Amino acid sequence: MGSTWGKNIKLSLFGESHGAGIGITIDGLPAGVELDLDLIKFEMQRRATGKNELTTARKEADTFEILSGYFNGYTTGAPLSILIRNRDQQSRDYSQIKNIARPAHADYTGYKRYDGYNDYRGGGHFSGRLTAPVVFAGAVAKQILKQKGIHIGTHIKSIKDLKDRDFCEKDLNMEVFKKLSEKQLPFLDETLESLSREKILQAKSRCDSLGGVIECSIIGMKPGIGNPFFNSIESQLAGLMYSIPAVKGVEFGAGFGITDLFGSEANDDIYMDGEQVKTITNNNGGVLGGITNGMPINFKVAIKPTPSISKAQKTINMKTNEETEFKIVGRHDPCIVPRALVVVEAMAAIGILDFLMVS
Amino acid sequence: MGSTWGKNIKLSLFGESHGAGIGITIDGLPAGVELDLDLIKFEMQRRATGKNELTTARKEADTFEILSGYFNGYTTGAPLSILIRNRDQQSRDYSQIKNIARPAHADYTGYKRYDGYNDYRGGGHFSGRLTAPVVFAGAVAKQILKQKGIHIGTHIKSIKDLKDRDFCEKDLNMEVFKKLSEKQLPFLDETLESLSREKILQAKSRCDSLGGVIECSIIGMKPGIGNPFFNSIESQLAGLMYSIPAVKGVEFGAGFGITDLFGSEANDDIYMDGEQVKTITNNNGGVLGGITNGMPINFKVAIKPTPSISKAQKTINMKTNEETEFKIVGRHDPCIVPRALVVVEAMAAIGILDFLMVS
Amino acid sequence: MGSTWGKNIKLSLFGESHGAGIGITIDGLPAGVELDLDLIKFEMQRRATGKNELTTARKEADTFEILSGYFNGYTTGAPLSILIRNRDQQSRDYSQIKNIARPAHADYTGYKRYDGYNDYRGGGHFSGRLTAPVVFAGAVAKQILKQKGIHIGTHIKSIKDLKDRDFCEKDLNMEVFKKLSEKQLPFLDETLESLSREKILQAKSRCDSLGGVIECSIIGMKPGIGNPFFNSIESQLAGLMYSIPAVKGVEFGAGFGITDLFGSEANDDIYMDGEQVKTITNNNGGVLGGITNGMPINFKVAIKPTPSISKAQKTINMKTNEETEFKIVGRHDPCIVPRALVVVEAMAAIGILDFLMVS
Amino acid sequence: MGSTWGKNIKLSLFGESHGAGIGITIDGLPAGVELDLDLIKFEMQRRATGKNELTTARKEADTFEILSGYFNGYTTGAPLSILIRNRDQQSRDYSQIKNIARPAHADYTGYKRYDGYNDYRGGGHFSGRLTAPVVFAGAVAKQILKQKGIHIGTHIKSIKDLKDRDFCEKDLNMEVFKKLSEKQLPFLDETLESLSREKILQAKSRCDSLGGVIECSIIGMKPGIGNPFFNSIESQLAGLMYSIPAVKGVEFGAGFGITDLFGSEANDDIYMDGEQVKTITNNNGGVLGGITNGMPINFKVAIKPTPSISKAQKTINMKTNEETEFKIVGRHDPCIVPRALVVVEAMAAIGILDFLMVS
């Protein structure tokens, strides 16, 4: 039941990498939202494959058909549902490899979870491809948030040992966010672009892969949004981030680094910036007691190196339990961080919108 | 609505730091579980205050009264509900400080969220005191998990710059877990005990506070438990961890460190250990595609320094929006990491039990 | 998990008839609601026992203690939790009868559901006594609804073959509702009061019991509240009504009677009453497509005769599966309809409030 | 958010009468269920239109495409999602009538709920057409229930004043259920078939419509399934029944009729039928305290006369608030009871399956 989410905005995700298609149904959207389809397509394009040498060669236009909930240019209030047909799934013979558990993939866990009935082709329902409909939902959510003055931006904080600086105040505005969203490798320190490209291509040439960290910031949040305990801002956003395949860490504000500080350093002192309550530092990432304090919500997400690599790896045949060696052939990204940025933003947008739907 | 949780096991948490009491109702527990009340008390004691110089002087016996769901020594299947009366709340005059937002506390966010109607005394419903009923629920969950061969252990991974080693294979058994649970400052490297005690007391003497990192491991999980996407093991556990006040980071397996590795290093190769499928490394922390692979579930949780410090801090009066300086007087922990260990275990136990209740 | 409810307003019900006490936790209430405790007590009194010869002799003051969520006369936004101690549970010896399944009670079903671990004393968690905390929650909900101009009223539509008339337009106002709420046997046709009292006492004297039908009306609802399909007004209210022990039927508007009409008779023609859209008839009970149309929400609830009767009945010993005959001794209501009215109103209030909490 | 349902089996319904199509996503199904597509098609056919003179002339093959969750003949455990394209939506000009509120339809309530943005063509998302995907989900659920020995049957209890007898013991078996499912007008008293056909056609010829009552029985339920209070068998099933457009009443066992009995008559005495615990009567419809007692679950559902009639009706223009008279032209069923039988069964199957998914 992991493909359904939500309290006020409900998502239902479906599809497999090599099946008929993938899609999502979003229930609970307000009626009367004018959808900017070009913006949605732009967002989908940020995640799309086959664009350049940094991404898998699988070409998926990710053309979506809106099945329901949209009429005369506006959301109707009924469930908004889309279908993205799969097009470029290579009709390769999977029978030989279907019982080989690819290391760091969900092959073995899916096999055990579903008694061997799961669709194993290309990872099936576990495929990163399923994030395409999430990006659609996120693009819709973003449009609603935008009307409320809320904007979401991301940059690459690191790719392996190439480390960008953190977001600082001057970056936290729509213009910078927009500029970042248009880049293929959005670092704040632009010198890292070519360095990281090289690093990724080098890993690719060695049949290897890289991971990295994404920093996300949500600006324009009023104070007083969220809840204590189980439905805190952090609980909701972290739960959504961990729904993205390949995420292995989520931290808010200073995150793990806050444990290196004394309380007197970690505590964000409060002051008045004109009429507005602000904190001098933002070690708490805009959230206290699970509720926004009006400062930007900042968090970082760790993305593991793409598990699909062409190097030989040790594993087992799940049916016979025999050990074997295995090389993944086929198309894959040497680093999914650049394509994951918009997925992180989408999940953040959905998570925040859900909080705003209660009176 | 943040005080209610669950899919199969439902929690409903209530109470305030200085109200009549605190408690929890747990719905969905199996009937016929024999409760070991001594074990529950032992767990509650691990979190309790007033034990020594490392914790706040507020003495709360945390004596719980079982109100329902328990009959003749066994759970009945009806909601299990407990009440813990507040005893040692100092009847100090809060009227002077009620509008002062303590930095890094939920005072300001609670004020905005609840339009000034929240109970501000001692943090009210936001108080860390609310984790006492969570520990009760966790202790019950642990007893059920134990019958299924599942055990949960924690150690202090770090207090400020004092860093313990990670759990390794030889630590991952009931005996070590038990030994750790009996210590006040459970490090794997025992030389850190006295060093950390000193460090904490030093911070206390300087009117300051410390944070740290807790490592948790869940052993005995069969492969195939969990779900992809929104109800992944990581989503569920991270959501619960972020329900603990003061948590600012959660990472699984190698966590953020996995981004420093090549894919070929990060991928956990699979082998047969006799009849059992295992991985050589456990960088994925026992979870792939949101589902267990049978390896221990490992994760780390960052606990921020106690926000309550006796140093002067800059803040505002929430009613007048005037800037002011403020020193917190009264009792508080210089470092809550030692008391938070059992809370992390409790949340983990609840989260895992919830997964096991579906057929 | 049947004791937890809600989407926006969450209820968690606990307790047993002969345990320490019963109570409820309500999460999601708005902060700043001034509670009229006298009104709450009045409502609790409507349900209370021991008042007269029509109710069981068990005397329960149903004195509630507010444990949390209430501060300085207002709700705080944190969970509102109450505890009602059990006082007059007769410490009778249950050991002899604990395995006897009382016909039309939940003894056998509870025994099977909870493998014999359920608290059997006085019906345990299945006891109608658990509706006392529901009435508390309903009384709180009513106060919030009242501020929005929404009022809920009930009358006894029938006790066995004594049939009252239906609500008509002149009855649907606060004054009539208030008057009805103050009566012990609230019929619109007041001549039925003494007739029904006689009928109930006659049944009692014959060791038998009676059921009846309650009609409920909710006025002041704006059009456009509710949802199609699974979260329709009818789905939500019917689900709540069927949560009341002893309910066996729920119908909206003309209900089952609508099937006796032609479409041309059943359809409620629409007209303008000044500025207001109204329908000439209200066969649809104020709901179309699961959503309010601004007309009163009308529904009827069938309450079965009290299953506890002092006549000999055939049943079995659940442990030995031997057939036996059994007479219930002890205190019980010959007809619970008069005490159920306020429970129906409470459930309606909770169900409606939940709809109003979304923006 | 009314189009999403479920605790263990989750449904997400989408689509509009005149949009691209309609469909459903079912999350939480067990993996490895072999789907009998012919049986599914048979069930869909029972609900389909255009079959004969009793149903609307709109011809919808209701051909479904499985989009996901199905592989090599079995469910995969991932969400099962289907799409039914709309084909025969008449591309009539709706612009003239779009602001006319059809009496007893959801036009006005949808207009208010969604601020006029709802798709008004053919009722949009409120259309009875949306029950087609529900029948698909029900057919899948039935196959899983069948493996557990659980079967669901319905007959027409009444069409207007033509009243069939109730199910009795000899009817409650697979063979009778199957035979009933194959009939167009399934009465137990077969003489009612031609009488009801005539009655329906007569109403049709008079531009009018009829309603009726459906009786449903679920056999093969073990005792001990369900929950007290909010998630009782009755709450869950009634909530689902009221999700079916046109339902105005739901009663279990003797239903409203139980209020005409003395307790001594209403109580179902318990006896042993060999090894099996049974009750002599089944006035409680197989449920006590919200939990099954092993007797058949019996309930009745009132279906209102089709609101679409060709007679002139009084109503308003929703935009101008002017009163007007209106005749519905176009295709519609004179009585939807025959097509609703399989929808009632489907909802029952889904509701019961959901209970069986917990351990």
Side-chain angles (χ1 to χ4, degrees), chain C residues 114-242:
Chain C
Y114 303 115
D115 301 327
Y117 287 101
N118 56 314
D119 182 349
Y120 45 77
R121 298 168 302 166
H125 185 57
F126 292 97
S127 167
R129 196 160 157 56
L130 271 286
T131 57
V134 168
V135 169
F136 173 89
V140 172
K142 273 183 180 177
Q143 298 190 17
I144 303 172
L145 294 179
K146 198 179 170 182
Q147 291 172 4
K148 299 172 188 279
I150 298 168
H151 304 277
I152 300 174
T154 50
H155 72 105
I156 300 177
K157 167 66 195 169
S158 68
I159 295 220
K160 205 163 188 280
D161 51 340
L162 287 173
K163 314 269 179 194
D164 198 9
R165 65 171 172 81
D166 279 5
F167 270 135
C168 66
E169 205 178 338
K170 66 171 181 191
D171 308 313
L172 298 179
N173 57 68
M174 276 182 70
E175 291 69 37
V176 174
F177 286 179
K178 186 161 185 302
K179 221 175 117 192
L180 286 167
S181 74
E182 289 161 352
K183 286 187 184 179
Q184 196 186 10
L185 289 162
F187 289 94
L188 298 170
D189 174 352
E190 302 192 354
T191 63
L192 295 171
E193 282 187 40
S194 57
L195 290 174
S196 62
R197 183 184 320 272
E198 230 168 280
K199 199 163 200 102
I200 293 170
L201 292 175
Q202 198 175 47
K204 186 183 179 185
S205 72
R206 291 176 186 171
C207 304
D208 219 324
S209 66
L210 301 179
V213 175
I214 292 169
E215 185 180 24
C216 181
S217 190
I218 307 167
I219 58 173
M221 294 295 293
K222 293 208 179 95
I225 309 294
N227 294 294
F229 300 106
F230 306 113
N231 194 221
S232 70
I233 293 274
E234 293 117 320
S235 286
Q236 178 133 317
L237 293 187
L240 284 166
M241 293 306 141
Y242 276 117

Side-chain angles (χ1 to χ4, degrees), chain B residues 40-57:
Chain B
I40 296 174
K41 283 171 195 161
F42 171 76
E43 293 282 283
M44 306 276 301
Q45 198 54 32
R46 290 175 67 195
R47 200 212 71 93
T49 58
K51 292 179 300 192
N52 53 55
E53 77 280 13
L54 295 183
T55 62
T56 162

Side-chain angles (χ1 to χ4, degrees), chain A residues 1-5 11 13 101 103-106 108-109 112-114 125-126 130 160 163 208-210 212-213 223-224 226-232 234-235 238-240 242-243 248-252 255-256 258-264 266-272 277 284 287-289 291-293 300 302-305 307 309 311 313-316 321 323 347, chain B residues 1-5 11 13 101 103-106 108-109 112-114 125-126 130 160 163 208-210 212-213 223-224 226-232 234-235 238-240 242-243 248-252 255-256 258-264 266-272 277 284 287-289 291-293 300 302-305 307 309 311 313-316 321 323 347:
Chain A
M1 288 199 311
S3 308
T4 312
W5 180 87
L11 305 181
L13 192 62
H105 271 281
Y108 174 64
T109 58
K112 296 303 281 187
R113 175 72 173 81
Y114 302 115
H125 186 57
F126 292 96
L130 270 286
K160 207 162 188 283
K163 313 271 178 191
D208 218 324
S209 66
L210 301 179
V213 174
N227 294 294
F229 301 105
F230 306 113
N231 194 220
S232 69
E234 294 118 319
S235 287
L240 284 167
Y242 276 116
S243 306
K248 283 290 159 187
V250 177
E251 60 178 13
F252 287 81
F256 281 89
I258 207 169
T259 67
D260 292 327
L261 305 177
F262 283 108
S264 57
N267 285 358
D268 300 309
D269 278 2
I270 306 173
Y271 73 103
M272 298 303 303
V277 176
N284 284 286
V287 187
L288 286 169
I291 296 169
T292 56
N293 66 357
K300 296 198 186 79
I303 310 281
K304 75 180 182 183
I309 56 173
K311 279 196 173 170
Q313 299 178 79
K314 285 184 181 144
T315 185
I316 59 156
N321 273 0
E323 296 188 345
M347 288 289 193
Chain B
M1 288 199 311
S3 308
T4 312
W5 180 87
L11 305 181
L13 193 61
H105 271 281
Y108 175 64
T109 59
K112 297 302 281 187
R113 174 73 174 82
Y114 303 114
H125 186 57
F126 292 96
L130 270 287
K160 206 163 187 283
K163 313 270 178 192
D208 218 323
S209 66
L210 300 179
V213 174
N227 293 295
F229 301 106
F230 306 113
N231 194 221
S232 69
E234 292 118 320
S235 287
L240 285 166
Y242 277 116
S243 307
K248 282 291 159 186
V250 178
E251 59 179 12
F252 286 80
F256 281 88
I258 206 169
T259 68
D260 292 327
L261 306 176
F262 284 107
S264 57
N267 286 358
D268 300 310
D269 279 1
I270 306 173
Y271 73 102
M272 298 302 304
V277 177
N284 284 286
V287 187
L288 287 168
I291 296 169
T292 56
N293 66 357
K300 296 198 185 79
I303 310 281
K304 74 180 184 184
I309 55 173
K311 278 195 172 170
Q313 299 178 79
K314 287 185 178 141
T315 186
I316 58 158
N321 273 358
E323 295 186 347
M347 287 289 193

